[in-house]
Amino acid sequence: MLKGKPFVKWAGGKRSIIEDLKKLSPDEYNTYYEPFVGGGALLFELSPKHAVINDYNKELMNVYSCIKDENKFSSMVKELDKHEANNSEEYYYEIRAFDKDKKKFNKIKDYKRAARTIYLNKACFNGLYRVNSKNEFNVPYGKKKKLNTYDGINLGMIYYFLNSNDIKLLSTDFEEAVKDAKKGDFVYFDPPYDSDTSTFNSYTENGFGKEEQKRLAKVFKELDKRGCYVMISNYNTKLVKELYKDYYFHKVKAPRNIGAKKSSRKEVEEVIITNYENER
């Protein structure tokens, strides 16, 4: 079966460890929940018939919504073609500046905002999505010689997947996103990672610090008590080891390609933590 793949490059994307995640996913479950969906690598790989996907990043979830809507999808692709044709450093900064005036930005048609999100992600430096405390996209121009903002076949497969299955789209807090999860459902958390040194977590204006990691662990444990299958990805830090010490740890090596310098783009030890044993 042909499957879609992420349509944006997202920090912490899971394409490089997708086989590990598949192997550790439960064989059978009811509804699939992914509260930090990002680029959706595992979502598309598993292609569940019932799913609730969420991301606190409203601009990202707006893209998913536009891909799901036939008319908006078509309009978004036309906008992307315009962005590709006009791409330059000057043009990039002009498009990037749209979110500085929130009143005007909120009036922009959703398919145009969706195309802007994809264009900025593809044209910016190293495909990094980052916003400042004012929720303004602030990544510099990437100076690519050739820019491809989308793969039409891939977007078509994602459109088909979102419309031929029961897929609910949300943009809310991760705890709110899983409030209806019940026994037999599968919840996969891929949050901004913890770090023993420093960490990049500016996908939204609020960031994701130690207290949020602790709150997430509480939600993990609550879902465990409900009888859900729960899986989470993170760095193998002191805090993570302590928070999930009663669960199953699976170590994986994953390349990190977001760092500004090549020397900072190296393999790091990640962990996939589950509340169940998987015999596959």
Side-chain angles (χ1 to χ4, degrees):
M1 183 178 90
L2 289 174
K3 297 174 182 177
K5 58 183 185 292
F7 51 84
V8 287
K9 183 177 180 182
W10 213 249
K14 292 297 175 284
R15 291 292 299 170
S16 64
I17 60 166
I18 199 68
E19 291 305 317
D20 296 289
L21 291 170
K22 274 176 62 181
K23 196 180 296 183
L24 291 169
S25 297
D27 292 321
E28 294 181 5
Y29 49 87
N30 297 323
T31 299
Y32 174 75
Y33 284 80
E34 191 167 353
F36 302 90
V37 71
L42 186 58
L43 169 74
F44 300 135
E45 186 62 36
L46 297 178
S47 295
K49 293 187 180 301
H50 305 279
V52 177
I53 62 172
N54 173 78
D55 203 284
Y56 193 71
N57 188 311
K58 296 189 185 307
E59 294 308 309
L60 175 65
M61 291 313 298
N62 176 55
V63 180
Y64 279 96
S65 296
C66 287
I67 293 175
K68 189 174 182 179
D69 183 287
E70 185 176 2
N71 293 327
K72 292 177 182 178
F73 179 24
S74 177
S75 297
M76 182 190 79
V77 167
K78 289 176 183 175
E79 287 294 313
L80 284 170
D81 289 337
K82 289 180 189 176
H83 288 320
E84 282 189 24
N86 292 309
N87 182 51
S88 69
E89 188 163 359
E90 183 182 0
Y91 180 78
Y92 173 85
Y93 285 114
E94 180 185 323
I95 300 300
R96 195 186 80 164
F98 282 3
D99 59 12
K100 290 188 181 298
D101 186 331
K102 294 296 184 285
K103 285 186 179 179
K104 281 186 180 179
F105 184 68
N106 291 332
K107 290 178 182 177
I108 296 174
K109 291 182 178 178
D110 47 10
Y111 69 83
K112 288 190 175 184
R113 289 205 341 262
R116 173 184 179 269
T117 296
I118 294 177
Y119 167 64
L120 292 179
N121 179 261
K122 299 292 184 178
C124 75
F125 174 75
N126 208 31
L128 176 64
Y129 191 100
R130 184 186 65 204
V131 295
N132 60 23
S133 60
K134 296 179 182 177
N135 201 26
E136 297 168 351
F137 189 85
N138 66 351
V139 184
Y141 184 58
K143 299 181 180 179
K144 294 178 182 175
K145 291 180 181 178
K146 184 172 175 59
L147 182 68
N148 292 312
T149 58
Y150 69 96
D151 174 340
I153 294 174
N154 182 52
L155 287 185
M157 287 191 288
I158 295 172
Y159 167 82
Y160 178 78
F161 164 69
L162 293 175
N163 283 285
S164 59
N165 297 288
D166 172 27
I167 312 296
K168 186 176 181 180
L169 308 179
L170 301 174
S171 184
T172 187
D173 179 74
F174 66 85
E175 189 170 356
E176 178 70 14
V178 297
K179 68 177 184 180
D180 295 328
K182 51 188 180 296
K183 184 176 180 179
D185 290 341
F186 174 34
V187 182
Y188 172 51
F189 290 112
D190 183 24
Y193 282 6
D194 183 48
S195 174
D196 285 330
T197 53
S198 62
T199 188
F200 166 78
N201 56 28
S202 303
Y203 309 99
T204 70
E205 69 273 26
N206 299 321
F208 202 91
K210 301 288 185 187
E211 292 307 309
E212 289 296 274
Q213 295 288 351
K214 292 173 184 176
R215 182 163 71 92
L216 176 56
K218 285 184 180 179
V219 173
F220 184 105
K221 291 166 186 174
E222 182 189 322
L223 291 167
D224 177 35
K225 289 176 183 175
R226 285 190 221 169
C228 299
Y229 299 105
V230 197
M231 180 166 77
I232 185 170
S233 297
N234 216 316
Y235 283 144
N236 198 16
T237 65
K238 292 177 184 177
L239 178 62
V240 168
K241 288 174 183 173
E242 177 60 29
L243 290 175
Y244 300 96
K245 62 186 178 183
D246 298 326
Y247 299 100
Y248 301 97
F249 276 65
H250 314 270
K251 295 179 182 179
V252 294
K253 294 287 185 182
R256 275 291 155 260
N257 299 314
I258 290 294
K261 297 179 181 178
K262 284 187 178 179
S263 60
S264 67
R265 301 177 201 170
K266 55 188 178 181
E267 276 197 347
V268 292
E269 186 172 86
E270 293 189 16
V271 284
I272 302 169
I273 304 162
T274 60
N275 70 330
Y276 54 89
E277 285 189 272
N278 195 303
E279 301 299 330
R280 279 194 282 175

